[in-house]
Amino acid sequence: MKLYNTMSKKKEEFVPLEQDKVKMYVCGPTVYNFIHIGNARPMIVFDTVRRYFEYKGYEVNFVSNFTDVDDKIIKKAIEEGVTADEISKRYIAECKKDMEGMNVKPATTHPLATEEIGGMIELIRTLIDKGFAYEKNGTVYYRTRKFADYGKLSHKNLDDLRSGNRSLLVTGEDEKEDPLDFVLWKPKKEGEPAWESPWSEGRPGWHIECSEMSKKYLGEQIDIHAGGEDLIFPHHENEIAQSEAANGKEFAKYWLHNGFLNIDNRKMSKSLGNFFTVREISEKYDLQILRFFMLSAHYRSPLNFSAELMESAKNGLERIVTAAENLRFLMKNAQAEAMNESEKEAFAKTREYVEGFEKAMDDDFNTADAVAAVFELVKYANTTADGDSSKEYLQGILDVLGKLTDVLGIIVEKKEELLDADIEALIEERQAARKEKNFARADEIRDELLARGIILKDTREGVQWKRA
Ligand code: AMP
Ligand code: ZN
């Protein structure tokens, strides 16, 4: 199995640190708003990477953080007149709903930066003790020039960086020894969330968060560190400088970065008016379609989002789901139980499609070709399965199809429509929960119904419902 390592700029054979195990860290979003469809790309592609490792029999420890203390969160909290904590909690919950809609598995651990401050302080202390960091007026900086390998991931030369980056001298940070030094700890400003530390009451810099959370939940050395390509410099470069200086060993063996998502061939930005949240997209399309669309390209290529491409993803996905439905329908009416000789031969042929799929995924997770292999299997199913097929044959093909689509995180089984009686029962349960002031459960029921296409309306006469 080969994967492209940003560090070596080459495809390398994957060799795990520990047999049959993968330790993987993916930088998560800063939670100050609904996630946008660009943020959804690393979630979907690295969830697919995880699923493929699991398919291959690896046990994956998958850690992805939420950055829940940041200037943008504080700004939003001030705008709304609420606490930063309220903003981050709200958007973590919303992000998790979007992830569920996109069928992104929850991480093994989703650490929150604000719950790991103690560990970050310890890490900063180690860096100071080892001479890799220094304090000035309550701020702690990383001494970049002390780390000989700085620039090895982004393939940047330190001297070029220094001469070309006078702008790195941010106002208020002019006490730095060197413009390339970056912040590990900063004192609070009025009204900002803050924690006690040996240097000042303040908060950690962004980069130290990931070094600490990766170490705490995965150990000093990990197999894979991943994120969008904009994180290569400076974020990942700085994480390497921090972790390797503190721990004295190579931080991550493989660095994976996804390409950017553009809209109508332009960079997505609020000012251009071409900015979509996942939630907005979910009002128009099933998020399964968004997922399938993302996987139609190789994860390292730039990907263009457009209505036409979403339509084509919708049609493609429909073809797969319909084939699965057809197999299930045939199974209900099938006469023969076991495969006959010619069916056995026909079934053996499905191995070719599975191999095509695995070959594509083994080649740096080429999901575009993997999807093509699924389409070939669908075509094969459509041409070989019919009213004369045995149950065993139909189930066999359905299982193969299910195994492959599961790696892609595509659900081929349509959720059974809720019967009226089930809906009424859930509404009754929700009313009871409300009476007991168990609003969490009441909201949960409303959300579950909504996810299954049932909209509730509370009126003076009671609860009314309709199908979306
Ligand atoms: P942020 O909250 O900005 O730190 O972003 C969270 C993740 O989304 C990071 O891995 C980013 O690299 C990634 N990301 C942000 N914008 C895009 C985009 N337009 N296309 C692909 N990935 C993106
Ligand atoms: Zn990170």
Side-chain angles (χ1 to χ4, degrees):
M1 185 174 180
K2 286 203 155 60
L3 28 90
Y4 181 89
N5 191 348
T6 306
M7 186 69 85
S8 63
K9 291 192 174 178
K10 284 196 191 94
K11 283 184 195 169
E12 293 176 27
E13 189 63 34
F14 178 74
V15 183
L17 287 163
E18 231 182 291
Q19 211 188 342
D20 301 329
K21 289 192 176 160
V22 179
K23 294 190 261 270
M24 184 168 176
Y25 187 96
V26 181
C27 294
T30 307
V31 278
Y32 63 98
N33 205 335
F34 289 98
I35 57 162
H36 59 67
I37 54 175
N39 301 138
R41 193 171 186 196
M43 287 179 181
I44 291 169
V45 301
F46 297 121
D47 176 63
T48 307
V49 165
R50 170 196 188 164
R51 286 166 181 268
Y52 189 57
F53 275 118
E54 287 171 347
Y55 168 90
K56 296 274 257 190
Y58 287 94
E59 185 190 313
V60 184
N61 190 346
F62 188 101
V63 176
S64 191
N65 66 299
F66 286 111
T67 294
D68 62 344
V69 55
D70 172 88
D71 288 342
K72 291 187 197 126
I73 300 172
I74 296 168
K75 183 165 169 263
K76 177 97 168 185
I78 294 168
E79 277 167 17
E80 287 194 21
V82 297
T83 61
D85 191 52
E86 190 171 331
I87 297 291
S88 57
K89 286 230 164 63
R90 182 197 305 160
Y91 290 113
I92 287 170
E94 297 297 354
C95 177
K96 286 186 174 169
K97 279 187 210 161
D98 288 336
M99 284 170 66
E100 197 183 327
M102 298 187 294
N103 201 24
V104 170
K105 286 193 194 183
T108 316
T109 316
H110 275 292
L112 305 185
T114 55
E115 291 176 3
E116 309 292 345
I117 307 280
M120 293 178 211
I121 289 174
E122 280 315 305
L123 193 53
I124 297 171
R125 210 200 295 265
T126 305
L127 289 169
I128 294 178
D129 290 348
K130 291 193 168 183
F132 284 96
Y134 57 95
E135 185 250 351
K136 285 263 171 81
N137 297 321
T139 303
V140 183
Y141 297 100
Y142 187 91
R143 188 173 276 133
T144 305
R145 85 180 110 87
K146 168 110 182 159
F147 185 68
D149 283 342
Y150 195 81
K152 69 175 172 179
L153 178 71
S154 51
H155 307 284
K156 287 181 193 288
N157 176 303
L158 215 68
D159 292 330
D160 292 349
L161 272 174
R162 202 166 286 138
S163 59
N165 274 287
R166 291 280 158 249
S167 59
L168 287 175
L169 269 178
V170 181
T171 357
E173 292 183 9
D174 39 9
E175 63 216 5
K176 291 200 281 194
E177 291 176 0
D178 187 299
L180 285 181
D181 292 353
F182 57 90
V183 170
L184 299 176
W185 185 268
K186 57 184 158 198
K188 73 163 189 180
K189 293 194 201 108
E190 192 50 41
E192 287 184 355
W195 292 262
E196 284 297 340
S197 84
W199 315 289
S200 60
E201 202 184 332
R203 62 187 158 104
W206 172 37
H207 316 299
I208 200 76
E209 291 179 11
C210 291
S211 283
E212 167 54 21
M213 293 188 267
S214 176
K215 179 178 169 169
K216 176 163 172 188
Y217 293 98
L218 296 170
E220 291 180 347
Q221 272 193 302
I222 66 172
D223 294 292
I224 298 176
H225 196 113
E229 65 184 7
D230 58 322
L231 300 186
I232 298 172
F233 185 84
H235 185 54
H236 288 163
E237 199 70 71
N238 291 353
E239 281 188 40
I240 291 171
Q242 297 165 155
S243 297
E244 298 194 354
N247 306 327
K249 34 177 98 118
E250 186 187 31
F251 179 28
K253 279 183 78 181
Y254 305 93
W255 291 85
L256 269 52
H257 293 99
N258 65 273
F260 253 46
L261 178 85
N262 297 315
I263 298 197
D264 293 326
N265 291 313
R266 290 202 295 180
K267 192 177 151 85
M268 180 164 52
S269 90
K270 277 199 172 134
S271 56
L272 286 172
N274 62 355
F275 179 96
F276 296 113
T277 63
V278 169
R279 199 57 60 87
E280 283 165 335
I281 295 303
S282 77
E283 283 157 16
K284 248 180 122 178
Y285 304 94
D286 187 325
L287 290 179
Q288 283 282 298
I289 298 170
L290 183 68
R291 180 167 184 127
F292 194 63
F293 156 77
M294 297 268 188
L295 297 178
S296 66
H298 189 274
Y299 76 93
R300 282 190 289 120
S301 312
L303 174 60
N304 190 45
F305 180 92
S306 70
E308 291 81 47
L309 290 172
M310 282 294 279
E311 275 314 306
S312 120
K314 186 177 172 190
N315 293 335
L317 183 60
E318 193 67 33
R319 239 196 301 159
I320 299 172
V321 173
T322 307
E325 263 176 11
N326 189 38
L327 290 169
R328 255 179 254 117
F329 172 79
L330 290 172
M331 265 173 72
K332 269 191 209 151
N333 304 303
Q335 300 297 315
E337 284 295 330
M339 284 194 235
N340 60 30
E341 284 312 308
S342 79
E343 276 186 327
K344 277 184 192 158
E345 236 170 75
F347 184 69
K349 270 197 151 180
T350 61
R351 191 64 223 154
E352 279 173 34
Y353 305 111
V354 174
E355 278 164 12
F357 180 92
E358 290 177 357
K359 189 162 164 256
M361 292 299 280
D362 280 342
D363 181 17
D364 191 30
F365 311 103
N366 189 335
T367 53
D369 286 359
V371 166
V374 171
F375 279 137
E376 280 178 40
L377 175 66
V378 160
K379 202 164 134 199
Y380 188 71
N382 289 345
T383 47
T384 61
D386 58 30
D388 296 329
S389 304
S390 69
K391 264 191 192 147
E392 192 187 6
Y393 181 73
L394 297 165
Q395 182 70 59
I397 296 224
L398 193 58
D399 287 347
V400 174
L401 182 62
K403 256 183 109 172
L404 302 190
T405 50
D406 193 45
V407 171
L408 301 173
I410 295 301
I411 300 167
V412 288
E413 204 152 336
K414 277 197 177 152
K415 272 193 182 167
E416 294 260 323
E417 240 192 41
L418 276 176
L419 298 173
D420 287 8
D422 298 331
I423 298 169
E424 305 283 356
L426 278 166
I427 291 175
E428 241 171 66
E429 191 190 332
R430 175 169 171 264
Q431 294 302 82
R434 283 170 134 196
K435 236 188 207 156
E436 292 162 15
K437 302 223 181 312
N438 184 353
F439 297 112
R441 175 66 190 142
D443 286 350
E444 201 176 276
I445 294 171
R446 188 201 51 210
D447 289 344
E448 189 194 323
L449 285 169
L450 188 65
R452 303 187 67 171
I454 309 297
I455 298 169
L456 301 187
K457 196 170 154 203
D458 292 307
T459 71
R460 219 177 296 192
E461 288 74 39
V463 184
Q464 291 177 355
W465 63 268
K466 63 172 187 191
R467 292 184 198 275

